[in-house]
Amino acid sequence: MTSESYRLNPFEQSNNDGHISVINNQIYIKDAMKMGKQPFLLESDTVDVFVNGILLKGSKVVFNSDQVEWKLREKGSFFKIWVRADQLEAYFQLLESPKVSDLKPVHAAPSAQLELDGDIKLCLRRINEEFHKQGIVAPDIVSVMHELSNSTYKPVVIARGISPQAGKDGWLETYFENATSQMLEETDGKVNFRQGRSIPSVESGTVLGEIHPPELGKHGISVFGTPIEAPSGRELAVKAGKHIEISRGKCIALRSGRPVVTGDLTKCIDIQHVYEHKGNVNLETGNIFFNGDVVIHGDVEEEMHVESFGNITVYGNVYKSTLISAQNIYVTGTIFGSQLAGGRVGLLYSKVYNILDQFLKQFALLVDSVDIVLERFVRNGDKRATYGYLADLLIKMKFPMIAKLAMQYSEVMQFAGKMVPPEVLMVDRMLGTYRKSDLLQQKSTKQELISITDYMVKLHERIKDSIYEESDAVITSANGTRIETTGNIYVIGSGTVQSELYAGNQVVYKRSDSSCRGGRLVAGKEIEVREVISGHRIYLEAGEKIAVHSGSELRLVMNGAAMDVYDECREVIFIKVNGRISQIPMPKRNG
């Protein structure tokens, strides 16, 4: 217990004089007796002293009947306390070394001046007052004391809440196998096509799946002790196709055929027909356009076009032709000089979305610029320039990307096939205005230009909810061919020669003897190549990693970083570390 008393100088004081005592940081006053001197307080430099609720300025005689209180000065606080925006963590930070602790009087008869000195007890009192003021529950005082004793002047976490746990989203459980897994089997380390039809089929009345409702989340608790509401899971939107009935969460087939699920944010489940073509596809048979699966038992000859809203399976070769599928593509033979697009709707929507996203951003800048220039024309009394004329002029001088994006959209439409959604084609016609100067200059008002883009904005938003699930392409070999898919590209045969493979997820050469002779491989996530034949420089671009079992003369690109590999490399994985591409040894397989 600390106890300090103010006493008068022995040469000046008498036993009748009053005095001031401080015990456990509380101020006590003893009044003078008879003719003794009554004690008085002086203003302090370290604390605010209040006599009967009034801040002490200068000096004041005090009596036992007075209520004398004190508190630390608010100015120059030696610490700060704050709470993270999500209210899940509170922090304490020491700003300067604490020099205050217990309250003591300075002896200066016949007056007394109070100041602070001693250990950390008083610091904790001030800090606790701030915790209470901010409403922080159960702060970690031990951590605060440690920081006061061993000051780092860095933020210290002194309270943690409990994070809310979001509820599980609704989901669709399906009771049928995926077609891709059925088309591949592994035997003695080699992946081969199953010979024969491998398309899952169901009968009318079959329960295909069940829609599970979303689950409630678990609430959290903030550092203030208040509940933090947890978001519930989102309900899955499921659309029944023409041949599906949804009853009490069950999806029931209304006819026989192949079950199919498409969509991402919105799932669409339906039954598709399967069209089987016996023999080759050529000029005599004509092109194939079918709203379901297409199975071709033969070759696809030159200059032919096969398009399907389901899977395309070719048990033969493909020669200089185009295969476009809304879902997966499987080719057992060799592909020569052709173009393949798996997940056509997904690819189309992805390209359309990206082009519109860039276009609308550029258009917003264009409109602002035209407004500024038009205002100057009007201010100068020149009313000849129309809105469309100035827009065309600025596109040529400052926003050439707008015309380029309009051309890119047109190019995408040319390869999109016949079954392009009408709203997507409508935008292509609208963008024609930005591909031809004379059409753009005819627009005399701002509203005419904005009305054109209103439709684009709506399509841009709608596509967000219509991105289709990943689709795969499974091929044996390809020569001079371009393949695109939203999912994976699997090469399960001898390999590729001077071909371009673009996958939203992975490009994988499955067989140990599959080779890659030049060309371009691009994958959203990973690439795995077995043997890159020297003398055929190859471009490899991936988002996460590139695995090379054997190869040289490689051009590697990963998220903006690039690297050239000229010498032979074996069993290595390339990844991006600290902004640069680095290589690490490939893990050895067991056995």
Side-chain angles (χ1 to χ4, degrees), residues 253-284:
L254 297 180
R255 78 172 186 193
S256 60
R258 183 177 79 85
V260 59
V261 176
T262 58
D264 185 8
L265 299 180
T266 299
K267 298 290 185 184
C268 180
I269 184 168
D270 204 353
I271 298 293
Q272 290 189 339
H273 280 308
V274 178
Y275 170 73
E276 294 202 52
H277 181 86
K278 305 293 184 179
N280 297 344
V281 176
N282 50 37
L283 292 176
E284 292 183 8

Side-chain angles (χ1 to χ4, degrees), residues 465-530:
D465 299 329
S466 304
I467 302 299
Y468 277 57
E469 291 182 326
E470 294 178 353
S471 299
D472 298 336
V474 183
I475 67 170
T476 302
S477 59
N479 191 326
T481 292
R482 178 186 177 93
I483 302 175
E484 293 182 80
T485 179
T486 56
N488 308 298
I489 298 177
Y490 298 111
V491 181
I492 64 171
S494 59
T496 60
V497 179
Q498 295 299 337
S499 294
E500 297 183 5
L501 278 57
Y502 299 88
N505 190 24
Q506 296 179 322
V507 173
V508 180
Y509 288 67
K510 286 285 189 179
R511 248 170 51 176
S512 59
D513 59 348
S514 288
S515 63
C516 180
R517 299 172 183 265
R520 185 183 187 95
L521 309 182
V522 179
K525 293 183 179 179
E526 302 175 7
I527 293 174
E528 182 178 3
V529 290
R530 296 290 174 170

